[in-house]
Amino acid sequence: MAVIGAGYVGLTTAACLADLGNDVVVVDINREKIAQLLKNRVPFYEPGLSELIERNAKARRLNFTTSYEEAIPGADYAIIAVSTPEGEGGEADLSFVESAASSIADCMDGPLVVVNKSTVPPLTGDMVSRVIGDRNAKHRADVVSNPEFLREGSAIQDFMHPDRVVIGSHDRGAAEKVATLYEPLQAPILITPNIYTAEMVKYASNAFLAARISFINEIARISERVGADAKLVAEGMGLDKRIGPSYLDVGIGYGGSCFGKDVKALAALAERFDYHPELLNAVMDINRDQRMLVIDKLREALDELNERTVGLLGLAFKPNTDDLRDAPSLDIARVLVAAGSHVRAYDPAAMEGARVMLPEVEYTRDAYGAANGADALVVVTEWNEFRQLDMARVKASMRMAVIVDGRNIYDPAVMRGLGFTYRGIGRD
Ligand code: NAD
């Protein structure tokens, strides 16, 4: 089988399917990425992935190429896992999917099941089908939607132990053929009788999770005003089995490669079909404002931001990844720099990428370096190592001991006891 795209989803899918005993070839148009992979180097940080790739590459079940000619002929599945970034007007940019479909069509030498794993709006499967049919009338291609739900940072675990596998196609036989790939995982498999439903499950799931985050952050805004502790409010809500505790973390909102663009794309899709998605718009507005709450709290605690030194703990959009796509840290650092602050930052995994995206920031060797001489410290990403810092040492090294805890990882009473001016989110 061929996997198209050597990103987080493509590489995880390829390595896991190879580990389940399949012969997999990964194709990517990025030569540098493929060159690194051929040397067993994974071009991003994902726990356990390089070991899995190395093991399967050694066993010759996993290979890498830039050539569709090498990957497609003879394959029975082509799994598309290319990027679908934000396009014009917020709609998903499907040009990479379209180009992958064209390249597949040009190299097909027999019937093929084309599996779309990229996150795409309903009707994209039909577009892929049309593109392939127009370029290659000789061979039959059945297009199947099989959205991916893995999370960066736990990608292998999520792929190997999914809550569910969703598969949809106009052709039941093709959907069932894709289902056989997942049989070893013994997970619930939902086969939808048309492709649009499977495509919609992915957007609806991401939009719902984003809505939970914006919901609890709105509750946090209200809690701050009435003296409630939103972290405990979330805990109290989450104990209700109907609600559950996931995605109720009060903080500076969601970021990353998926939620932002997917909620936007779903809203844009709705507008295109003459529906005004009020709830989705509110989810996005609350999330945008939540990032700036950190700035408001800093301004309030420091009086002004000009010529202040602010240390950022964490840059990645969440812990255990080096991914900076749509990370709140980018907005926060840029606003601080524009306001005249000197920004120092430390992240255990994301500093290499950050140096390129935020050249005006000073990067430190560890969290203590970010705190040293700073007027304020902001917790942006809740990496575990920040929970275990020697806070007395941090306090002693700072010029003014202000902490804005954007992820509520510290105990307010303990921090105030140590002499910090502490500001959490939803529980001042
Ligand atoms: P990514 O940007 O990490 O990787 C995409 C790869 O596709 C890149 O290496 C790029 O060079 C390659 N590519 C682009 N066009 C190509 C083409 N025509 N032929 C071959 N390769 C091509 O993206 P990702 O994070 O892996 O996401 C891929 C898709 O999966 C997106 O639709 C995303 O929304 C979805 N998704 C991502 C996650 C996640 O956590 N990252 C989770 C679920 C779903």
Side-chain angles (χ1 to χ4, degrees):
M1 66 181 64
V3 171
I4 323 294
Y8 288 89
V9 170
L11 280 183
T12 306
T13 302
C16 290
L17 287 175
D19 213 49
L20 293 172
N22 301 286
D23 283 323
V24 184
V25 182
V26 179
V27 199
D28 201 294
I29 47 172
N30 183 327
R31 287 179 186 282
E32 174 57 24
K33 242 185 197 181
I34 294 296
Q36 285 200 41
L37 285 162
L38 286 168
K39 290 185 217 150
N40 277 328
R41 279 191 220 132
V42 179
F44 50 82
Y45 174 73
E46 179 61 41
L49 188 57
S50 49
E51 292 83 345
L52 196 67
I53 288 179
E54 198 175 335
R55 185 165 80 228
N56 285 283
K58 252 192 198 142
R60 298 183 177 280
R61 285 189 298 265
L62 184 57
N63 216 329
F64 303 97
T65 180
T66 52
S67 159
Y68 279 80
E69 288 284 357
E70 272 177 39
I72 299 296
D76 37 8
Y77 301 89
I79 302 176
I80 300 178
V82 299
S83 3
T84 48
E86 186 182 326
E88 240 170 73
E91 290 214 44
D93 173 356
L94 299 175
S95 57
F96 299 100
V97 173
E98 195 173 341
S99 149
S102 305
S103 307
I104 291 169
D106 291 347
C107 299
M108 272 170 68
D109 65 348
L112 188 65
V113 174
V114 178
V115 184
N116 190 21
K117 239 186 198 313
S118 293
T119 301
V120 293
L123 302 176
T124 304
D126 290 356
M127 177 274 280
V128 169
S129 212
R130 212 167 36 245
V131 167
I132 297 179
D134 285 351
R135 292 176 82 98
N136 188 333
K138 241 170 103 199
H139 302 293
R140 177 186 169 131
D142 287 307
V143 178
V144 176
S145 163
N146 169 219
E148 182 51 58
F149 300 99
L150 64 76
R151 293 160 300 174
E152 288 171 23
S154 55
I156 296 169
Q157 169 75 11
D158 290 347
F159 188 94
M160 291 297 204
H161 306 280
D163 290 341
R164 81 303 205 186
V165 174
V166 176
I167 300 170
S169 176
H170 297 310
D171 184 276
R172 176 87 194 179
E176 279 169 0
K177 192 168 172 197
V178 174
T180 61
L181 294 176
Y182 291 98
E183 265 164 19
L185 303 183
Q186 298 186 325
I189 297 181
L190 174 72
I191 297 187
T192 65
N194 71 39
I195 193 165
Y196 319 123
T197 308
E199 291 171 327
M200 194 64 167
V201 170
K202 175 64 189 178
Y203 270 123
S205 301
N206 272 5
F208 185 73
L209 294 173
R212 282 179 68 110
I213 295 170
S214 282
F215 178 86
I216 200 62
N217 281 333
E218 180 153 275
I219 294 296
R221 295 280 184 129
I222 303 169
S223 295
E224 274 184 12
R225 286 163 171 76
V226 300
D229 180 332
K231 190 171 175 170
L232 290 175
V233 172
E235 195 179 323
M237 287 169 63
L239 287 168
D240 185 325
K241 286 197 185 69
R242 295 168 303 175
I243 298 172
S246 337
Y247 290 81
L248 282 184
D249 295 314
V250 176
I252 50 182
Y254 61 78
S257 65
C258 294
F259 284 1
K261 79 171 171 67
D262 292 347
V263 178
K264 228 184 226 177
L266 182 57
L269 180 77
E271 294 284 4
R272 181 146 65 85
F273 283 84
D274 282 335
Y275 177 75
H276 184 62
E278 284 187 54
L279 182 56
L280 298 180
N281 288 336
V283 167
M284 293 187 281
D285 290 348
I286 292 169
N287 198 61
R288 189 198 52 229
D289 294 349
Q290 205 65 14
R291 294 180 179 189
M292 289 307 109
L293 189 59
V294 167
I295 305 290
D296 297 344
K297 284 177 189 279
L298 280 173
R299 200 170 262 131
E300 190 191 296
L302 299 174
D303 288 331
E304 60 166 332
L305 298 174
N306 193 25
E307 295 191 1
R308 297 292 193 192
T309 297
V310 180
L312 303 184
L313 293 185
L315 294 161
F317 84 92
K318 67 173 184 181
N320 298 321
T321 178
D322 60 357
D323 200 338
L324 282 162
R325 288 179 283 185
D326 196 24
S329 62
L330 302 178
D331 286 341
I332 292 169
R334 283 178 187 137
V335 171
L336 285 172
V337 168
S341 297
H342 174 66
V343 180
R344 274 203 202 131
Y346 168 72
D347 186 285
M351 291 205 289
E352 204 184 313
R355 276 180 221 279
V356 180
M357 299 173 88
L358 296 171
E360 58 282 48
V361 167
E362 180 195 346
Y363 296 93
T364 62
R365 280 180 45 199
D366 58 17
Y368 297 107
N372 194 21
D375 297 300
L377 207 52
V378 181
V379 180
V380 182
T381 315
E382 63 278 34
W383 285 91
N384 267 339
E385 67 174 73
F386 300 149
R387 296 174 203 271
Q388 284 142 18
L389 294 176
D390 174 351
M391 294 310 283
R393 179 178 159 196
V394 168
K395 159 110 189 357
S397 74
M398 290 178 73
R399 193 158 56 186
M400 279 172 80
V402 171
I403 287 200
V404 175
D405 184 357
R407 301 294 180 180
N408 287 342
I409 63 172
Y410 298 123
D411 182 329
V414 172
M415 289 300 122
R416 288 186 183 124
L418 283 167
F420 284 104
T421 301
Y422 176 88
R423 300 273 186 277
I425 308 286
R427 56 174 188 168
D428 268 359

